[in-house]
Amino acid sequence: MLMNKNTPVLSFDYDLENHKALDIRELINPEAAPLGLPDRQGKITRGELNYWWRHRAIPASRAQVDRLLENLQLESTLELAEKSFGLSLSDRYWLNDEDDPHTWDEVNFFDNDFTDDLGFLTLGQDSAGSSPDAPDYASISLSSPNSTLGGDLLKKWKIIDGERVLLKAGVGFANQEPYNEVIATELHGRIMGAGEYLPYQLFEDTRRVYSACANMLGPDEELVAAWDLVRNVKQSNNLSDLQFYVKRCEDLGLDPDEVMTALAKMFAADFVIANRDRHYRNFGVIRNVETLEVTRLAPVFDTGSSLWSDAELLGIP
């Protein structure tokens, strides 16, 4: 059963061997489904459900993912998602087994603690050799929101003083990306108001520096990526990509002028710090999962791949 917090969305048969839905048995509350799940005809199909589920897991492009799977003796990152009910800290969707049902209060990671076992591995903290904090692969707990973290950079959710905090690593010996996030925070604070951007700070964990940010979501909220607003909606030929996205936000109840202004601020900041990684999956809107109302734009986040962090040498005339 695909659930949105306490609301059943649909029931389906699932193939554990091939990690995919076989068929949809019943649509129960399709209006509570993830935005972008219905196809262009407004139907929720097996293909669309499997597309959503594949993108629920850690991507195959993630650094060190093969090493992660080998050490855990798993064949697919979808197995990790299965072992934690598909739960995330970016929304309230999860999978409930009709033969062994659970409740949202029992399983969700917003309210229930989780170990740092899997996070230690998804952040790559075991790659530099032995560590006294390294978990035992044979007894590791795989119940963790880190099993559904997207993106290519090494990262993890960690509970710090009771708060859910996202830690992200940099790339290579320079480890520049975490510092870029802090620089971007300073820039965003000059041109954006409170709540329009996600502030980052540096955090040291097992003798390495990471960027750290609190969860952007309030109670009963979910992050909806821009991609999910546009991918299954036909775009008029007379609208540019930017105009089409603004119209989609307007269709969902947001003020188009405010949306355009917020996007202009984001793009201006990206230009100043040469951010090369602004794409449809790292900006979006916030929706209330109880009322199903889109309430605001998501704050600007994920700006570490900037300031020429991928350049080994900058040419000087």
Side-chain angles (χ1 to χ4, degrees):
M1 186 83 70
L2 172 61
M3 306 286 295
N4 188 349
K5 195 180 175 184
N6 293 307
T7 302
V9 177
L10 57 86
S11 63
F12 64 100
D13 292 321
Y14 187 77
D15 184 345
L16 279 169
E17 183 176 349
N18 294 299
H19 314 293
K20 63 181 182 180
L22 295 175
D23 62 83
I24 294 176
R25 299 172 60 188
E26 182 184 6
L27 293 175
I28 304 168
N29 293 290
E31 69 280 357
L35 280 175
L37 184 59
D39 64 17
R40 289 199 171 188
Q41 286 70 48
K43 298 178 180 179
I44 299 177
T45 66
R46 180 186 63 179
E48 291 294 337
L49 180 59
N50 279 318
Y51 176 90
W52 175 84
W53 179 239
R54 287 195 303 273
H55 287 84
R56 192 76 172 166
I58 295 172
S61 55
R62 170 79 62 83
Q64 301 185 26
V65 70
D66 290 337
R67 183 171 179 271
L68 172 68
L69 293 175
E70 181 181 357
N71 286 336
L72 295 176
Q73 298 183 355
L74 301 175
E75 63 178 28
S76 167
T77 55
L78 283 170
E79 286 190 76
L80 282 176
E82 291 166 358
K83 293 180 184 299
S84 57
F85 304 100
L87 286 158
S88 169
L89 282 175
S90 296
D91 56 45
R92 265 70 177 179
Y93 301 107
W94 59 292
L95 302 186
N96 202 0
D97 188 343
E98 291 178 308
D99 295 328
D100 183 23
H102 292 77
T103 67
W104 170 256
D105 290 340
E106 289 174 341
V107 301
N108 83 85
F109 294 122
F110 290 92
D111 304 308
N112 296 297
D113 291 346
F114 51 90
T115 74
D116 202 33
D117 288 359
L118 185 59
F120 193 92
L121 306 180
T122 60
L123 193 58
Q125 292 174 292
D126 63 329
S127 61
S130 60
S131 166
D133 299 316
D136 180 0
Y137 287 112
S139 60
I140 185 173
S141 171
L142 298 181
S143 179
S144 166
N146 294 305
S147 64
T148 55
L149 262 177
D152 291 343
L153 286 178
L154 298 171
K155 61 188 71 172
K156 74 174 179 180
W157 286 106
K158 184 180 179 70
I159 300 175
I160 302 175
D161 297 329
E163 299 293 325
R164 275 63 179 157
V165 176
L166 182 64
L167 303 183
K168 294 196 295 183
V171 176
F173 73 94
N175 195 40
Q176 184 179 329
E177 286 80 2
Y179 298 91
N180 289 349
E181 296 277 25
V182 176
I183 293 170
T185 294
E186 292 296 317
L187 174 61
H188 292 156
R190 295 180 181 220
I191 63 175
M192 301 176 190
E196 294 183 325
Y197 66 97
L198 192 62
Y200 289 80
Q201 60 186 1
L202 298 178
F203 184 86
E204 185 174 349
D205 196 49
T206 62
R207 295 178 295 178
R208 185 175 172 89
V209 174
Y210 304 96
S211 65
C213 65
N215 195 324
M216 69 176 72
L217 300 179
D220 296 329
E221 288 187 333
E222 66 169 326
L223 170 65
V224 182
W227 177 242
D228 292 321
L229 297 190
V230 302
R231 78 175 193 92
N232 274 339
V233 180
K234 182 175 175 56
Q235 180 175 345
S236 299
N237 293 331
N238 64 333
L239 294 179
S240 68
D241 290 346
L242 174 60
Q243 291 170 329
F244 178 53
Y245 180 70
V246 173
K247 185 177 186 307
R248 288 293 296 129
C249 290
E250 182 181 10
D251 292 342
L252 292 168
L254 298 180
D255 184 284
D257 292 333
E258 293 180 3
V259 172
M260 186 66 82
T261 298
L263 290 173
K265 291 179 182 180
M266 180 179 72
F267 293 144
D270 284 346
F271 178 81
V272 169
I273 60 177
N275 180 25
R276 67 182 191 278
D277 192 39
R278 182 65 61 203
H279 53 80
Y280 278 98
R281 289 193 181 275
N282 64 9
F283 67 100
V285 300
I286 303 297
R287 182 169 78 153
N288 184 291
V289 302
E290 296 286 2
T291 66
L292 303 180
E293 176 188 6
V294 172
T295 56
R296 59 189 171 98
L297 290 173
V300 176
F301 64 98
D302 202 5
T303 319
S305 298
S306 55
L307 294 172
W308 306 277
S309 60
D310 61 335
E312 294 184 6
L313 180 66
L314 294 179
I316 302 177

